[in-house]
Amino acid sequence: MSDGVRIRNFCIVAHIDHGKSTLADRMLELTGTLTARNMQEQVLDSMDLERERGITIKSHPIRMTYRDRAGQDWAFNLIDTPGHVDFSYEVSRSLAACEGAILVVDAAQGVEAQTLANLYLALEGDLEILPVINKIDLPGARTDEVVEELVNLLGVSEDEILLASAKTGLGVEDVLEAVAQRLPGPSVNSDAPLRALIFDSNYDLYLGAVATVRVVDGKLVKGDKVRFLATGQEYEVQEVGSYVMGRQPVKALESGQVGYLVTGAKQVRDLRVGDTVVSFDAPDQAPLPGYKPVKPMVFSGLYPTESEEYEVLREALAKLQLNDSAITFEPETSRALGFGFRVGFLGLLHMEIVQERLEREFGLSMIATLPNVEYHVTMKDGREATISNPADMPDAGGFQEIREPYVRATLYTPAEYVGPIMKLCMDRRAVQEGMNYLDGRRVELHFRIPLSEVVVDFYDKLKSMSRGHASFDYEYGGHEASDLVKLDILINSDPVDALSAIVHRSNAHVWGDKLAKKLKEQIPRQLFQVAIQASIGARVVARTNVSALRKNVTAKCYGGDISRKRKLLEKQKAGKRRMKQVGNVEIPQEAFLAILKVER
């Protein structure tokens, strides 16, 4: 099969929950890669979280052998890709390892935001698209309408669109046959110097970091010396092989083939997604296009609820980083929460998954601060600084300009929800860039919106106001200067650094007022009045008080002169004043969790 004629490298792209993993399951069954005994739902999704949520978090390649209707054998390399926007760079590198893509669209939902985002990535990579409408057996299936959507979107004829139900297996045999007959094979260049693309990596306890590669030119042979161009590191190839429901060693991976590479690298960060592997003898090879370092976009402080679990949290983050090089973390301290870490994530889903894995796999209980984004600050002396923690932001007079990240957002919604969705976006400082009616029912909206306005509760609000029908996708669109200020929360004139936020000046009063009111509900009453203030520098923009508990000190006075009561009340007043100066207000952990639920 090394001539490439009967090799097909392809992936499945779809919106979340359109049946991508189920289609992969049926393909594995029909090609005999898995016996019925070994079969389970979402077999390529190895994490419990992936199965529970019905999403793919990590890319999973697998090799199948398919015998077509004419009796010829084919080697199919299926690369199952994540569907969520947070992992779009990984998806783009996985697509670069393929020649074709199966585009799966739900017959009831139709084309959605991430369907298009990943489709455009595939078209940019010059991949052949095989359109498949899935779930045609559902009672709510709109098969004819979705066929029309795909005809308009792809410019294909109706005959080229395959209809299937991955759950029942209906039409899956036709999909396999179409992969063999309609998708192109890889171009084979076995005699050229080695060039291989790393499109995924994972950590093995015994082998170290394992790279998943697509050999573009030449061949990868056990015992050869190779170099990784992005890091400049050199290794000896200890093992190569294919993925067939697990790693299966082979002598060599030839041009056009997909498999794994073991070099003895100790950490996944040494094997960067998108990097090019070349032969040690020919180090001047040009890198394969498209590589860029993965950068976290969203940052949050993670603090253990018990201070003695600090080292456990450090070890847990280090272990997760072995398998996920996109996680970054560094120690930080907070006067309110103690010792913790500032952790960087690719996006909100990535953040949610990491937190859930820390709780499940390591039994940790944590407090997470409000998610922040990375700001670029130009200081008065011309120095450039990067800030991901509001506590690090300089005073208003200490910098010339602050820039925040913007994203280009694409939303798809039924026409009846356009008004509320446009209002939601405008309230979040969005700038509308376009609007297209795809048909009589669905509208495509384009906005430029600050990432900080998206990371807290935008997605939840979008889903609730559209009854779950609207979908949302975004890509990074650069940093732009904004009128941003640091909003501090003061409890009895003491700033609580963990509650600081960087907000737009126009929203500072509203956001400060909401935070102060939410804290008033959570902070228990003391024997003295507690002032909760939101301030920008020295200017207080919002304030509320937690009233004092009153002890009836005059209860023991039965009659007599009024001056006795006044004397006791004055004594109590002086005591409260003194207590307010020296008294500490303990902020309960529930207060920090409640802040995360404050609606913008």
Side-chain angles (χ1 to χ4, degrees):
M1 279 182 206
S2 59
D3 59 0
V5 175
R6 300 220 188 105
I7 295 175
R8 293 292 180 265
N9 300 318
F10 66 98
C11 57
I12 305 175
V13 295
H15 188 80
I16 283 177
D17 206 28
H18 278 207
K20 179 169 50 134
S21 296
T22 315
L23 179 61
D25 290 352
R26 293 294 83 74
M27 289 176 141
L28 293 171
E29 262 185 12
L30 285 171
T31 54
T33 309
L34 266 187
T35 60
R37 203 177 94 186
N38 296 333
M39 197 62 213
Q40 60 176 344
E41 277 192 29
Q42 292 171 253
V43 73
L44 294 184
D45 294 342
S46 52
M47 284 184 231
D48 291 341
L49 264 175
E50 291 182 308
R51 289 207 180 88
E52 282 172 27
R53 288 170 173 249
I55 59 174
T56 300
I57 296 165
K58 194 106 174 89
S59 174
H60 300 273
I62 189 163
R63 185 165 175 255
M64 301 177 271
T65 303
Y66 171 66
R67 177 159 289 179
D68 68 12
R69 288 163 184 167
Q72 289 185 314
D73 285 337
W74 300 77
F76 284 179
N77 289 308
L78 164 61
I79 296 159
D80 191 25
T81 57
H84 197 272
V85 57
D86 286 2
F87 308 107
S88 59
Y89 175 65
E90 285 87 336
V91 172
S92 75
R93 295 304 85 214
S94 296
L95 295 178
C98 305
E99 283 78 40
I102 299 175
L103 176 70
V104 176
V105 179
D106 187 318
Q109 303 287 340
V111 175
E112 295 198 69
Q114 283 151 30
T115 316
L116 277 158
N118 290 339
L119 169 63
Y120 291 148
L121 280 174
L123 291 172
E124 279 171 29
D126 210 19
L127 269 63
E128 186 71 32
I129 306 296
L130 189 65
V132 175
I133 296 177
N134 189 26
K135 305 189 186 181
I136 57 168
D137 57 324
L138 285 181
R142 304 181 290 111
T143 309
D144 293 342
E145 290 175 41
V146 179
V147 165
E148 199 177 317
E149 276 183 40
L150 284 176
V151 167
N152 294 334
L153 179 67
L154 298 171
V156 295
S157 67
E158 288 187 19
D159 302 340
E160 294 175 65
I161 298 170
L162 300 168
L163 306 181
S165 167
K167 194 164 190 176
T168 63
L170 175 70
V172 179
E173 181 72 45
D174 295 335
V175 175
L176 285 167
E177 189 69 18
V179 168
Q181 307 304 334
R182 286 167 54 181
L183 295 186
S187 57
V188 174
N189 199 359
S190 299
D191 301 326
L194 169 69
R195 279 201 311 172
L197 170 73
I198 299 177
F199 64 89
D200 195 17
S201 57
N202 57 69
Y203 184 77
D204 185 278
L205 209 56
Y206 302 103
L207 300 175
V210 179
T212 307
V213 296
R214 154 72 196 271
V215 182
V216 178
D217 299 325
K219 60 175 76 172
L220 260 175
V221 183
K222 183 179 176 179
D224 283 359
K225 284 192 80 176
V226 294
R227 174 178 287 168
F228 297 152
L229 288 183
T231 59
Q233 293 181 330
E234 293 159 7
Y235 296 98
E236 185 177 311
V237 178
Q238 296 179 1
E239 183 178 309
V240 291
S242 302
Y243 287 103
V244 187
M245 292 318 296
R247 288 189 289 268
Q248 198 175 80
V250 296
K251 285 182 181 176
L253 281 177
E254 308 228 351
S255 175
Q257 293 185 335
V258 172
Y260 67 89
L261 164 67
V262 178
T263 59
K266 295 289 181 279
Q267 295 181 321
V268 167
R269 72 180 73 161
D270 298 333
L271 310 176
R272 297 184 181 172
V273 171
D275 196 1
T276 306
V277 183
V278 298
S279 172
F280 179 72
D281 302 329
D284 300 329
Q285 285 282 81
L288 294 163
Y291 169 73
K292 62 180 181 184
V294 177
K295 276 191 71 180
M297 295 284 282
V298 175
F299 297 83
S300 177
L302 292 185
Y303 295 86
T305 50
E306 304 294 332
S307 56
E308 57 266 24
E309 287 189 340
Y310 174 76
E311 284 301 326
V312 183
L313 178 57
R314 182 201 292 276
E315 285 174 27
L317 284 167
K319 283 178 182 172
L320 281 187
Q321 201 179 43
L322 285 174
N323 259 322
D324 188 350
S325 58
I327 298 171
T328 63
F329 67 96
E330 56 185 35
E332 73 171 8
T333 53
S334 159
R335 284 170 62 186
L337 298 173
F339 292 98
F341 296 92
R342 170 83 12 191
V343 188
F345 309 95
L346 293 172
L348 277 185
L349 178 77
H350 190 218
M351 173 178 154
E352 214 176 301
I353 284 159
V354 169
Q355 286 181 22
E356 209 161 321
R357 288 187 68 187
L358 287 169
E359 286 168 7
R360 283 183 182 208
E361 296 173 25
F362 302 96
L364 285 162
S365 173
M366 296 165 302
I367 293 173
T369 62
L370 269 174
N372 292 106
V373 297
E374 195 172 74
Y375 299 92
H376 294 171
V377 180
T378 305
M379 309 301 274
K380 278 283 171 73
D381 57 7
R383 281 185 302 113
E384 291 288 331
T386 300
I387 291 170
S388 58
N389 185 349
D392 298 335
M393 185 171 168
D395 295 329
F399 61 88
Q400 290 179 28
E401 184 184 66
I402 181 165
R403 297 178 299 284
E404 65 177 329
Y406 271 70
V407 292
R408 289 190 185 90
T410 306
L411 295 98
Y412 291 85
T413 173
E416 61 263 36
Y417 305 117
V418 168
I421 287 173
M422 286 179 79
K423 184 181 184 305
L424 170 69
C425 293
M426 294 307 182
D427 288 346
R428 300 297 176 99
R429 300 191 283 126
V431 177
Q432 189 172 349
E433 292 190 327
M435 176 175 172
N436 303 316
Y437 275 82
L438 301 174
D439 51 40
R441 296 178 63 257
R442 292 170 65 80
V443 183
E444 177 185 41
L445 297 164
H446 296 277
F447 287 96
R448 191 168 175 77
I449 185 168
L451 181 60
S452 59
E453 299 286 353
V454 173
V455 295
V456 182
D457 60 352
F458 181 84
Y459 191 70
D460 294 342
K461 288 212 155 178
L462 178 72
K463 283 294 181 188
S464 61
M465 67 174 44
S466 66
R467 298 184 184 176
H469 290 296
S471 60
F472 168 67
D473 183 71
Y474 65 84
E475 61 177 23
Y476 173 62
H479 277 65
E480 288 184 16
S482 290
D483 186 12
L484 300 171
V485 292
K486 179 186 173 188
L487 185 73
D488 283 313
I489 298 294
L490 312 175
I491 308 288
N492 268 359
S493 303
D494 286 333
V496 183
D497 52 358
L499 297 177
S500 296
I502 297 174
V503 296
H504 195 266
R505 194 181 295 276
S506 62
N507 296 337
H509 171 70
V510 177
W511 183 236
D513 193 49
K514 284 183 177 177
L515 287 181
K517 284 175 178 168
K518 181 58 82 172
L519 281 171
K520 183 180 178 178
E521 294 169 15
Q522 299 296 326
I523 292 176
R525 290 171 71 187
Q526 314 288 321
L527 289 170
F528 53 91
Q529 181 178 282
V530 177
I532 303 169
Q533 297 167 304
S535 74
I536 301 169
R539 185 166 68 89
V540 174
V541 293
R543 173 184 173 132
T544 186
N545 296 323
V546 179
S547 54
L549 285 168
R550 184 173 181 272
K551 183 181 175 185
N552 190 358
V553 291
T554 60
K556 59 187 177 184
C557 296
Y558 296 99
D561 197 304
I562 188 68
S563 60
R564 289 180 64 205
K565 288 187 178 181
R566 281 191 185 138
K567 190 176 175 183
L568 286 168
L569 288 168
E570 285 299 323
K571 192 175 174 185
Q572 183 188 39
K573 199 173 177 181
K576 287 195 174 192
R577 199 178 300 121
R578 195 164 56 251
M579 198 185 293
K580 189 172 182 178
Q581 287 169 357
V582 297
N584 266 340
V585 181
E586 282 290 319
I587 303 173
Q589 289 174 356
E590 292 76 29
F592 294 98
L593 300 174
I595 292 299
L596 293 173
K597 296 182 175 69
V598 175
E599 289 193 355
R600 281 189 173 254

